[in-house]
Amino acid sequence: DKAFALSPGWSLPEDNNYHHEGDASAIVIGGQTAVDFDLVVDVQSTGEFGLGAYATQTPRPDPDRDYTAMVRGGKASIRVNGQASDAQSIALGAHKIELRRRGGGVWFLVDDKVVAYALDKNPRVVLNRFAILAGAGSAVIVRSVSYREAPAS
Protein backbone atom coordinates (compact mmCIF):
# COMPACT_ATOMS: atom_id res chain seq x y z
CA ASP A 1 0.00 0.00 0.00
CA LYS A 2 1.41 3.41 -1.01
CA ALA A 3 0.10 4.99 2.21
CA PHE A 4 2.45 2.78 4.27
CA ALA A 5 6.09 3.96 4.41
CA LEU A 6 8.44 1.43 6.01
CA SER A 7 11.50 2.75 7.86
CA PRO A 8 14.68 0.64 7.90
CA GLY A 9 14.19 -2.45 10.07
CA TRP A 10 10.70 -3.21 8.74
CA SER A 11 9.88 -5.75 6.03
CA LEU A 12 6.81 -7.28 4.41
CA PRO A 13 7.70 -10.91 3.64
CA GLU A 14 5.56 -13.53 1.92
CA ASP A 15 3.38 -14.09 5.02
CA ASN A 16 1.92 -10.56 4.43
CA ASN A 17 2.66 -9.49 8.01
CA TYR A 18 4.94 -6.54 8.71
CA HIS A 19 8.06 -7.64 10.60
CA HIS A 20 10.52 -5.48 12.57
CA GLU A 21 14.01 -6.24 13.83
CA GLY A 22 16.90 -3.87 14.45
CA ASP A 23 17.02 -0.19 15.35
CA ALA A 24 14.04 1.81 16.57
CA SER A 25 11.84 2.68 13.60
CA ALA A 26 8.28 3.17 12.38
CA ILE A 27 5.74 2.32 9.74
CA VAL A 28 4.29 5.70 8.85
CA ILE A 29 0.74 5.75 7.54
CA GLY A 30 -0.03 8.82 5.45
CA GLY A 31 -2.92 9.83 3.25
CA GLN A 32 -5.31 10.38 6.17
CA THR A 33 -6.34 13.48 8.09
CA ALA A 34 -8.40 13.39 11.22
CA VAL A 35 -9.32 15.05 14.46
CA ASP A 36 -11.10 12.07 16.03
CA PHE A 37 -10.06 8.55 15.03
CA ASP A 38 -9.44 4.90 15.93
CA LEU A 39 -6.15 3.25 14.96
CA VAL A 40 -6.22 -0.49 15.71
CA VAL A 41 -3.33 -2.92 15.24
CA ASP A 42 -3.01 -6.65 15.88
CA VAL A 43 0.59 -7.04 16.99
CA GLN A 44 2.96 -9.53 18.55
CA SER A 45 6.11 -8.27 20.21
CA THR A 46 9.00 -9.28 22.43
CA GLY A 47 9.91 -5.69 23.23
CA GLU A 48 8.96 -2.04 22.93
CA PHE A 49 6.16 -1.08 20.52
CA GLY A 50 3.35 1.40 20.12
CA LEU A 51 1.07 3.59 18.03
CA GLY A 52 1.23 7.29 17.32
CA ALA A 53 -0.68 10.13 15.67
CA TYR A 54 1.11 13.28 14.54
CA ALA A 55 0.27 16.81 13.41
CA THR A 56 1.66 18.42 10.25
CA GLN A 57 4.17 20.53 12.16
CA THR A 58 5.76 17.50 13.86
CA PRO A 59 8.92 16.70 11.88
CA ARG A 60 8.88 12.93 12.38
CA PRO A 61 7.01 10.25 14.34
CA ASP A 62 8.63 9.74 17.72
CA PRO A 63 7.45 8.06 20.94
CA ASP A 64 7.71 11.34 22.86
CA ARG A 65 5.73 13.55 20.46
CA ASP A 66 2.07 14.44 19.93
CA TYR A 67 -0.17 11.40 20.66
CA THR A 68 1.64 8.14 21.40
CA ALA A 69 0.58 4.91 23.10
CA MET A 70 3.58 2.73 24.00
CA VAL A 71 4.39 -0.55 25.68
CA ARG A 72 7.86 -0.41 27.26
CA GLY A 73 9.28 -2.94 29.68
CA GLY A 74 5.90 -4.59 30.17
CA LYS A 75 4.21 -1.25 31.00
CA ALA A 76 1.59 0.47 28.85
CA SER A 77 1.24 4.25 28.90
CA ILE A 78 0.07 7.11 26.74
CA ARG A 79 1.75 10.45 26.02
CA VAL A 80 -0.38 13.37 24.91
CA ASN A 81 1.25 16.70 24.03
CA GLY A 82 4.31 15.92 26.17
CA GLN A 83 2.43 14.67 29.23
CA ALA A 84 2.70 10.98 30.15
CA SER A 85 0.02 8.92 31.89
CA ASP A 86 0.62 6.45 34.68
CA ALA A 87 1.84 3.09 33.39
CA GLN A 88 -0.17 -0.14 33.61
CA SER A 89 1.36 -3.62 33.53
CA ILE A 90 0.84 -5.62 30.35
CA ALA A 91 2.24 -8.99 29.31
CA LEU A 92 4.37 -9.07 26.17
CA GLY A 93 3.03 -11.22 23.36
CA ALA A 94 0.12 -10.96 20.94
CA HIS A 95 -2.38 -8.14 21.48
CA LYS A 96 -4.96 -5.98 19.79
CA ILE A 97 -3.87 -2.41 20.55
CA GLU A 98 -5.83 0.74 19.85
CA LEU A 99 -5.16 4.46 20.00
CA ARG A 100 -8.44 6.38 20.12
CA ARG A 101 -9.05 10.15 20.13
CA ARG A 102 -12.48 11.68 20.75
CA GLY A 103 -13.65 15.18 21.74
CA GLY A 104 -11.00 16.07 24.29
CA GLY A 105 -9.86 12.59 25.32
CA VAL A 106 -7.24 10.09 24.18
CA TRP A 107 -7.42 6.39 25.08
CA PHE A 108 -5.02 3.47 24.83
CA LEU A 109 -6.79 0.12 24.70
CA VAL A 110 -5.15 -3.31 24.88
CA ASP A 111 -7.34 -6.28 24.02
CA ASP A 112 -10.42 -4.00 24.21
CA LYS A 113 -9.60 -2.81 27.76
CA VAL A 114 -8.62 0.78 28.54
CA VAL A 115 -5.09 0.81 29.99
CA ALA A 116 -4.46 4.56 29.77
CA TYR A 117 -6.43 7.78 29.30
CA ALA A 118 -5.36 11.40 28.96
CA LEU A 119 -7.12 14.71 28.49
CA ASP A 120 -6.25 16.47 25.24
CA LYS A 121 -5.53 20.19 25.67
CA ASN A 122 -5.62 20.62 21.87
CA PRO A 123 -8.63 18.51 20.84
CA ARG A 124 -9.15 20.21 17.45
CA VAL A 125 -5.60 19.76 16.12
CA VAL A 126 -5.73 17.97 12.78
CA LEU A 127 -3.48 14.92 12.56
CA ASN A 128 -2.13 13.78 9.20
CA ARG A 129 0.29 10.95 9.95
CA PHE A 130 -0.15 7.82 11.98
CA ALA A 131 2.57 5.35 12.91
CA ILE A 132 3.33 1.92 14.26
CA LEU A 133 6.48 2.23 16.36
CA ALA A 134 9.05 -0.40 17.30
CA GLY A 135 11.90 0.01 19.77
CA ALA A 136 15.52 -0.92 19.17
CA GLY A 137 16.05 -4.65 19.37
CA SER A 138 12.32 -5.38 19.50
CA ALA A 139 10.98 -8.21 17.38
CA VAL A 140 7.55 -7.00 16.28
CA ILE A 141 5.03 -8.62 13.94
CA VAL A 142 2.05 -6.55 12.76
CA ARG A 143 -0.73 -8.83 11.55
CA SER A 144 -3.37 -6.23 10.70
CA VAL A 145 -3.95 -2.49 10.76
CA SER A 146 -7.27 -0.67 10.64
CA TYR A 147 -8.02 3.02 10.73
CA ARG A 148 -11.32 4.80 11.09
CA GLU A 149 -12.03 8.49 11.21
CA ALA A 150 -14.67 9.07 13.84
CA PRO A 151 -17.54 11.48 13.31
CA ALA A 152 -16.79 14.96 14.63
CA SER A 153 -17.78 15.26 18.26
Side-chain angles (χ1 to χ4, degrees), residues 42-152:
D42 285 322
V43 64
Q44 181 172 340
S45 179
T46 62
E48 184 176 303
F49 65 93
L51 302 175
Y54 305 95
T56 303
Q57 64 271 22
T58 303
R60 69 182 185 291
D62 187 282
D64 296 327
R65 298 177 185 264
D66 294 1
Y67 304 86
T68 307
M70 290 295 295
V71 176
R72 293 179 171 131
K75 300 280 187 180
S77 65
I78 194 167
R79 181 176 288 272
V80 174
N81 300 315
Q83 301 297 312
S85 71
D86 292 335
Q88 300 263 346
S89 292
I90 174 177
L92 293 177
H95 296 285
K96 174 180 154 188
I97 61 172
E98 180 176 352
L99 180 60
R100 179 183 293 173
R101 184 183 189 213
R102 295 273 190 296
V106 182
W107 292 261
F108 182 20
L109 291 84
V110 176
D111 300 325
D112 297 319
K113 294 182 179 119
V114 174
V115 295
Y117 170 81
L119 288 174
D120 186 354
K121 294 179 185 172
N122 300 307
R124 303 312 312 156
V125 168
V126 175
L127 307 169
N128 71 343
R129 284 171 296 147
F130 302 86
I132 302 163
L133 307 164
S138 297
V140 178
I141 300 171
V142 174
R143 296 190 184 345
S144 70
V145 178
S146 66
Y147 165 85
R148 181 177 77 94
E149 184 174 349

Side-chain angles (χ1 to χ4, degrees), residues 14-37:
E14 291 178 12
D15 68 359
N16 286 321
N17 295 315
Y18 293 96
H19 291 255
H20 173 268
E21 290 185 16
D23 293 337
S25 63
I27 297 173
V28 178
I29 305 163
Q32 308 290 336
T33 57
V35 172
D36 292 338
F37 66 89

